[in-house]
Amino acid sequence: MKKIYHLGSCSTCQRILKELEPLDGVELQEIKTVSITPEQLEEMKNLAGSYEALFSRRAMLFRQRGLHEQQLSEDDFKNLILEHYTFLKRPVTIIDGQIFIGNSKKVVEAAKEALH
């Protein structure tokens, strides 16, 4: 399976998708219009090792809700990601059982290698 969870309005996601081209056989899921299902999140967590690894602390809502001052559990991370797409660290790329989370140069290069 080859799948990329991304945000269409995110310029960083758009740039990374361009870098990863050609995207033959890759399913793209725009997480604002097609919400992540609990099953999809569970699959990502199994590959990543934790919900925290998938969680974006850069989301504006993270500070607005005062979450940076709280001790969050794995269940909290899971529920927040399911509640609002902005809490998913983007993009999340899954290629044949490997997961690549986020937009660091190293992660994007590794995803590119796995894809091509």
Side-chain angles (χ1 to χ4, degrees), residues 26-72:
V26 177
E27 182 185 342
L28 298 176
Q29 181 169 330
E30 207 286 341
I31 60 174
K32 189 173 183 178
T33 53
V34 181
S35 297
I36 295 166
T37 65
E39 294 77 23
Q40 288 172 325
L41 185 58
E42 188 66 26
E43 179 194 16
M44 286 186 243
K45 179 240 177 196
N46 289 337
L47 292 170
S50 70
Y51 292 113
E52 186 174 6
L54 297 162
F55 189 82
S56 172
R57 295 176 189 280
R58 291 183 173 182
M60 288 200 309
L61 286 178
F62 184 65
R63 285 205 162 277
Q64 286 173 359
R65 290 188 184 179
L67 298 173
H68 63 291
E69 296 168 350
Q70 297 175 24
Q71 194 69 30
L72 299 174

Side-chain angles (χ1 to χ4, degrees), residues 54-112:
L54 297 162
F55 189 82
S56 172
R57 295 176 189 280
R58 291 183 173 182
M60 288 200 309
L61 286 178
F62 184 65
R63 285 205 162 277
Q64 286 173 359
R65 290 188 184 179
L67 298 173
H68 63 291
E69 296 168 350
Q70 297 175 24
Q71 194 69 30
L72 299 174
S73 68
E74 275 293 286
D75 272 350
D76 293 330
F77 291 124
K78 174 185 177 181
N79 293 330
L80 286 165
I81 292 169
L82 288 173
E83 176 192 322
H84 202 283
Y85 65 86
T86 195
F87 288 119
L88 182 70
K89 194 182 283 188
R90 311 175 293 273
V92 173
T93 306
I94 298 175
I95 302 165
D96 303 326
Q98 290 181 284
I99 191 164
F100 304 92
I101 305 162
N103 57 26
S104 75
K105 256 193 179 350
K106 196 172 160 185
V107 168
V108 174
E109 280 305 312
K112 200 179 206 174

